[in-house]
Amino acid sequence: MQAYETVIGLEVHVELSTKTKIFCNCSTKFGGEPNSHCCPVCTGMPGTLPVLNKQVVEYAIATGLALNCTITQQCMFDRKNYFYPDLPKAYQVSQLYLPIGRNGEIEIETESGMKKIGIHEIHMEEDAGKLIHDEGDCTLVDYNRSGIPLIEIVSAPDLRSAEEAIAYLEKLKLILQYLGVSDCRMQEGSLRADINLSVRKVGAKEFGIRTEMKNMNSFKAIARAIEGESRRQIELLENGQQVIQETRRWDDSKNASFAMRSKEDAKDYRYFPEPDLPQIEISNEWIEAIRKGQPELRDEKMLRYEKEFGIPAYDASIITSDKHLADLFEETVALCGHPKEVSNWLMMETMRLLREEEMDAEQISFSPNQLAKLIKMTLEGKITRTIAKEVFEKIFKENIDPEEYVEQEGLGIVSDEGILRETIQKIIAANPQSVEDYKAGKHKAMGYLIGQTMKEMGGKADPGKVNRIMKETLDSL
């Protein structure tokens, strides 16, 4: 078999975090009773007129600037004429001729180093509703999502593998979350990707015939779809067959794609300028105001954490991998200081519990104040680290106040030397062989006896005093 190269371009649909829809005042809140967040405008009633949500434009400009795009200062909307069963107007308001952003790029990290991925364009559009295929052999329509504001970020065909595609999507997701323009909750459809994919022989300059797989909302499924579709196309070519330009559906359970319809080109949608919306004029002053208001993005934040807080680059990369985690870190440090200590709690115990509970960082419910209290209690010697880990698990799962919980459960550190000596004598008496090993010069035996003492006292004994008293007692025997 000859060597083939996969060529991938991604169209990423991003639901914007505005409170109202793109052309009306209906709520964009996720969920709600079907057809409860809609009005005559977003359901396409005759005689209604759209009014553009200014924040949609500002979010699109902010995204364009973060992706190094040229902002189109005289941009406009177009009608995309195509039958959507879940878009009652039978057309979608989108952008084709003058999209709001063009010719950008972002840099991703690959196994072979850094690579720049081009951004062909960013355009604004409205979302369609949702079809619900009922078990009673009928299809229901929920228009709550109809008119939700979207930006579509179209990459250049610069991606060459599933790994590069996921690195690009992860970088894009972080930028969007740090900007605050979208929550990017893929499980709620806030971030979806269409995969345009073709293969060609290594060294060839012409692109192969591409297929499109639409509305992918899982990074794992996207990676599998890229690998599966690439294999399918290569097998066709190796068997002397042709790849057909078409839209395909990826079935993740079957690890295969299936033809849906022939792939449309722009001409098939019969675009023309949207007559009900005027041209958008974007001044230099407006762009600069948005540029000055841009938040610190992940790459800048990582460098600042290393310099300002003195934490290693690895720590900074983990903490900034999620905006919620980064916000939690900064707010906790502001309350208690000790950035390395805060970093350790987030990187180790927090990440462990997130994995065990199969949660995302944005689902963390405890506050910076709760974590700051726990760290202070630990560093001030009010509780041992063993107890602190137990208390943290309670904070994570039950949102308790650590100070109140420690007091109620009697988990404070035991420093009374009389109690410690009594417990140590009991442990020594119960472990004569360990005592003999210590006397014979096997000093690891003392570690075992200390461990038994801590266990006997439920992890609440002052470790410094236990070490000192244990050594004094053993040396005196």
Side-chain angles (χ1 to χ4, degrees):
M1 181 186 289
Q2 296 188 45
Y4 286 85
E5 176 181 58
T6 304
V7 178
I8 306 158
L10 295 176
E11 300 170 15
V12 179
H13 302 262
V14 182
E15 282 192 4
L16 300 178
S17 295
T18 57
K19 291 183 178 179
T20 57
K21 294 185 180 181
I22 188 169
F23 299 127
C24 66
N25 286 325
C26 289
S27 171
T28 58
K29 189 174 181 181
F30 180 76
E33 289 297 313
N35 299 308
S36 61
H37 298 165
C38 50
C39 71
V41 174
C42 57
T43 53
M45 295 295 104
T48 59
L49 288 172
V51 177
L52 179 59
N53 184 336
K54 183 180 178 183
Q55 193 171 48
V56 173
V57 181
E58 292 184 334
Y59 279 172
I61 294 171
T63 304
L65 293 174
L67 301 183
N68 305 298
C69 290
T70 300
I71 304 301
T72 307
Q73 293 185 252
Q74 287 81 37
C75 69
M76 58 187 287
F77 283 98
D78 304 289
R79 282 193 186 182
K80 182 180 181 183
N81 291 276
Y82 187 74
F83 176 69
Y84 288 83
D86 47 0
L87 197 57
K89 293 180 291 191
Y91 64 85
Q92 181 187 37
V93 179
S94 182
Q95 291 186 300
L96 175 70
Y97 301 110
L98 294 171
I100 195 162
R102 285 174 169 161
N103 302 324
E105 64 178 22
I106 60 172
E107 198 169 41
I108 63 169
E109 191 169 354
T110 69
E111 289 184 0
S112 56
M114 304 303 289
K115 179 177 180 179
K116 289 183 178 179
I117 306 300
I119 306 294
H120 174 65
E121 69 174 50
I122 301 173
H123 59 261
M124 301 176 286
E125 63 185 20
E126 61 182 338
D127 206 349
K130 182 180 180 182
L131 296 177
I132 300 162
H133 302 292
D134 189 73
E135 290 182 4
D137 198 27
C138 68
T139 297
L140 307 175
V141 187
D142 180 5
Y143 290 128
N144 281 350
R145 203 173 66 185
S146 180
I148 294 281
L150 299 177
I151 53 173
E152 183 172 335
I153 302 168
V154 183
S155 82
D158 293 341
L159 300 160
R160 294 293 177 267
S161 66
E163 291 75 20
E164 287 188 7
I166 300 306
Y168 168 80
L169 288 168
E170 287 175 341
K171 180 76 175 277
L172 200 58
K173 182 180 178 183
L174 276 174
I175 290 171
L176 295 165
Q177 287 178 324
Y178 272 99
L179 286 173
V181 303
S182 175
D183 58 31
C184 295
R185 291 176 183 156
M186 298 186 79
Q187 70 275 16
E188 295 180 5
S190 297
L191 185 72
R192 316 189 292 272
D194 297 345
I195 305 166
N196 289 284
L197 184 149
S198 64
V199 298
R200 63 184 177 186
K201 291 177 182 176
V202 172
K205 293 183 180 180
E206 295 293 322
F207 290 144
I209 296 172
R210 64 189 171 94
T211 61
E212 181 180 34
M213 288 175 285
K214 298 185 75 67
N215 290 327
M216 307 288 295
N217 63 354
S218 154
F219 285 173
K220 288 181 179 178
I222 288 168
R224 286 193 287 264
I226 288 171
E227 289 165 355
E229 178 62 11
S230 179
R231 282 195 304 270
R232 187 189 74 87
Q233 291 190 18
I234 290 170
E235 286 172 7
L236 284 173
L237 296 175
E238 283 294 301
N239 291 328
Q241 298 174 275
Q242 286 190 331
V243 176
I244 299 170
Q245 182 172 318
E246 60 189 356
T247 298
R248 299 182 67 82
R249 176 180 63 85
W250 175 255
D251 189 324
D252 206 41
S253 62
K254 296 179 180 177
N255 199 35
S257 66
F258 300 90
M260 290 175 63
R261 60 179 183 267
S262 60
K263 177 72 182 82
E264 301 87 358
D265 289 316
K267 61 179 174 22
D268 298 314
Y269 292 112
R270 293 172 291 121
Y271 281 95
F272 64 83
E274 170 55 56
D276 291 336
L277 288 163
Q279 183 171 278
I280 306 165
E281 301 289 337
I282 302 172
S283 67
N284 291 328
E285 291 76 17
W286 194 7
I287 293 173
E288 285 310 305
I290 292 171
R291 193 192 303 276
K292 287 177 182 177
Q294 294 283 73
E296 182 181 48
L297 298 181
R298 188 210 183 183
D299 291 349
E300 301 162 326
K301 200 176 283 288
M302 283 176 62
L303 294 173
R304 180 170 66 83
Y305 281 9
E306 292 177 57
K307 185 177 179 180
E308 183 179 333
F309 298 121
I311 62 174
Y314 178 76
D315 293 35
S317 69
I318 297 296
I319 293 166
T320 58
S321 65
D322 186 279
K323 185 179 184 296
H324 185 83
L325 212 58
D327 290 343
L328 191 56
F329 170 77
E330 290 195 36
E331 291 170 32
T332 306
V333 171
L335 289 168
C336 73
H338 309 290
K340 180 57 179 166
E341 192 74 19
V342 177
S343 168
N344 288 343
W345 279 99
L346 292 177
M347 288 174 55
M348 298 172 70
E349 293 304 306
T350 304
M351 298 302 285
R352 175 181 68 81
L353 288 167
L354 286 173
R355 286 192 297 271
E356 287 179 7
E357 300 295 318
E358 296 183 343
M359 290 169 55
D360 295 324
E362 64 185 28
Q363 295 174 280
I364 292 171
S365 60
F366 68 82
S367 69
N369 188 47
Q370 288 168 294
L371 181 55
K373 281 182 179 181
L374 182 70
I375 289 171
K376 283 182 179 179
M377 292 169 71
T378 308
L379 295 179
E380 289 170 3
K382 294 179 179 178
I383 55 174
T384 64
R385 287 198 174 271
T386 302
I387 293 296
K389 289 180 181 180
E390 294 177 19
V391 175
F392 180 75
E393 193 153 338
K394 282 282 184 181
I395 292 171
F396 186 94
K397 293 180 179 178
E398 301 177 26
N399 221 9
I400 53 98
D401 180 278
E403 292 176 338
E404 291 177 5
Y405 182 77
V406 166
E407 186 176 350
Q408 289 168 3
E409 300 297 320
L411 298 175
I413 205 163
V414 177
S415 299
D416 186 297
E417 291 203 12
I419 296 173
L420 295 178
R421 287 183 186 279
E422 184 180 332
T423 306
I424 286 170
Q425 289 290 352
K426 178 181 174 182
I427 295 301
I428 285 174
N431 294 277
Q433 185 58 54
S434 295
V435 174
E436 290 302 316
D437 289 344
Y438 178 80
K439 286 182 176 181
K442 298 177 181 178
H443 292 278
K444 285 184 179 180
M446 188 175 90
Y448 173 77
L449 294 169
I450 288 170
Q452 292 301 301
T453 304
M454 297 299 290
K455 184 179 179 181
E456 178 71 19
M457 298 198 67
K460 296 185 287 183
D462 184 323
K465 288 188 176 182
V466 169
N467 271 272
R468 177 174 59 79
I469 295 170
M470 180 67 76
K471 190 171 190 314
E472 289 175 0
T473 305
L474 290 171
D475 289 345
S476 67
L477 295 175

PDB file of all heavy atoms in Angstrom, residues 108-114 163-164:
ATOM      1  N   ILE A 108      -0.617  25.433  17.612  1.00  0.00           N
ATOM      2  CA  ILE A 108      -0.848  24.259  18.451  1.00  0.00           C
ATOM      3  C   ILE A 108       0.472  23.529  18.667  1.00  0.00           C
ATOM      4  O   ILE A 108       1.420  23.675  17.896  1.00  0.00           O
ATOM      5  CB  ILE A 108      -1.878  23.302  17.828  1.00  0.00           C
ATOM      6  CG1 ILE A 108      -1.365  22.731  16.484  1.00  0.00           C
ATOM      7  CG2 ILE A 108      -3.226  23.985  17.661  1.00  0.00           C
ATOM      8  CD1 ILE A 108      -2.198  21.584  15.933  1.00  0.00           C
ATOM      9  N   GLU A 109       0.503  22.734  19.732  1.00  0.00           N
ATOM     10  CA  GLU A 109       1.699  21.943  20.027  1.00  0.00           C
ATOM     11  C   GLU A 109       1.473  20.524  19.545  1.00  0.00           C
ATOM     12  O   GLU A 109       0.485  19.878  19.909  1.00  0.00           O
ATOM     13  CB  GLU A 109       1.986  21.965  21.528  1.00  0.00           C
ATOM     14  CG  GLU A 109       3.338  21.386  21.880  1.00  0.00           C
ATOM     15  CD  GLU A 109       3.751  21.648  23.319  1.00  0.00           C
ATOM     16  OE1 GLU A 109       3.023  22.381  24.019  1.00  0.00           O
ATOM     17  OE2 GLU A 109       4.793  21.118  23.722  1.00  0.00           O
ATOM     18  N   THR A 110       2.382  20.024  18.714  1.00  0.00           N
ATOM     19  CA  THR A 110       2.294  18.664  18.186  1.00  0.00           C
ATOM     20  C   THR A 110       3.521  17.877  18.622  1.00  0.00           C
ATOM     21  O   THR A 110       4.450  18.425  19.222  1.00  0.00           O
ATOM     22  CB  THR A 110       2.217  18.673  16.657  1.00  0.00           C
ATOM     23  OG1 THR A 110       3.488  19.104  16.127  1.00  0.00           O
ATOM     24  CG2 THR A 110       1.123  19.619  16.167  1.00  0.00           C
ATOM     25  N   GLU A 111       3.530  16.578  18.312  1.00  0.00           N
ATOM     26  CA  GLU A 111       4.679  15.744  18.673  1.00  0.00           C
ATOM     27  C   GLU A 111       5.961  16.244  18.026  1.00  0.00           C
ATOM     28  O   GLU A 111       7.050  16.084  18.568  1.00  0.00           O
ATOM     29  CB  GLU A 111       4.419  14.294  18.263  1.00  0.00           C
ATOM     30  CG  GLU A 111       3.376  13.599  19.123  1.00  0.00           C
ATOM     31  CD  GLU A 111       3.226  12.140  18.750  1.00  0.00           C
ATOM     32  OE1 GLU A 111       3.930  11.685  17.822  1.00  0.00           O
ATOM     33  OE2 GLU A 111       2.409  11.463  19.398  1.00  0.00           O
ATOM     34  N   SER A 112       5.834  16.850  16.848  1.00  0.00           N
ATOM     35  CA  SER A 112       7.025  17.334  16.138  1.00  0.00           C
ATOM     36  C   SER A 112       7.304  18.811  16.406  1.00  0.00           C
ATOM     37  O   SER A 112       8.142  19.408  15.752  1.00  0.00           O
ATOM     38  CB  SER A 112       6.857  17.094  14.631  1.00  0.00           C
ATOM     39  OG  SER A 112       5.669  17.703  14.167  1.00  0.00           O
ATOM     40  N   GLY A 113       6.586  19.406  17.343  1.00  0.00           N
ATOM     41  CA  GLY A 113       6.827  20.811  17.683  1.00  0.00           C
ATOM     42  C   GLY A 113       5.583  21.670  17.486  1.00  0.00           C
ATOM     43  O   GLY A 113       4.467  21.159  17.374  1.00  0.00           O
ATOM     44  N   MET A 114       5.790  22.966  17.441  1.00  0.00           N
ATOM     45  CA  MET A 114       4.689  23.905  17.276  1.00  0.00           C
ATOM     46  C   MET A 114       4.277  23.989  15.801  1.00  0.00           C
ATOM     47  O   MET A 114       5.118  23.892  14.909  1.00  0.00           O
ATOM     48  CB  MET A 114       5.078  25.295  17.789  1.00  0.00           C
ATOM     49  CG  MET A 114       5.550  25.314  19.233  1.00  0.00           C
ATOM     50  SD  MET A 114       4.351  24.634  20.403  1.00  0.00           S
ATOM     51  CE  MET A 114       3.099  25.917  20.384  1.00  0.00           C
ATOM     52  N   GLU A 163      -4.756  13.587  16.068  1.00  0.00           N
ATOM     53  CA  GLU A 163      -4.055  14.231  17.188  1.00  0.00           C
ATOM     54  C   GLU A 163      -3.975  15.740  16.991  1.00  0.00           C
ATOM     55  O   GLU A 163      -4.214  16.521  17.930  1.00  0.00           O
ATOM     56  CB  GLU A 163      -2.639  13.650  17.332  1.00  0.00           C
ATOM     57  CG  GLU A 163      -2.578  12.224  17.815  1.00  0.00           C
ATOM     58  CD  GLU A 163      -2.969  11.196  16.740  1.00  0.00           C
ATOM     59  OE1 GLU A 163      -2.926  11.534  15.537  1.00  0.00           O
ATOM     60  OE2 GLU A 163      -3.329  10.070  17.119  1.00  0.00           O
ATOM     61  N   GLU A 164      -3.656  16.177  15.773  1.00  0.00           N
ATOM     62  CA  GLU A 164      -3.588  17.610  15.498  1.00  0.00           C
ATOM     63  C   GLU A 164      -4.971  18.250  15.607  1.00  0.00           C
ATOM     64  O   GLU A 164      -5.116  19.357  16.126  1.00  0.00           O
ATOM     65  CB  GLU A 164      -2.996  17.859  14.109  1.00  0.00           C
ATOM     66  CG  GLU A 164      -1.507  17.607  14.027  1.00  0.00           C
ATOM     67  CD  GLU A 164      -0.917  18.041  12.683  1.00  0.00           C
ATOM     68  OE1 GLU A 164      -1.647  18.654  11.874  1.00  0.00           O
ATOM     69  OE2 GLU A 164       0.270  17.755  12.448  1.00  0.00           O
TER      70      GLU A 164
END
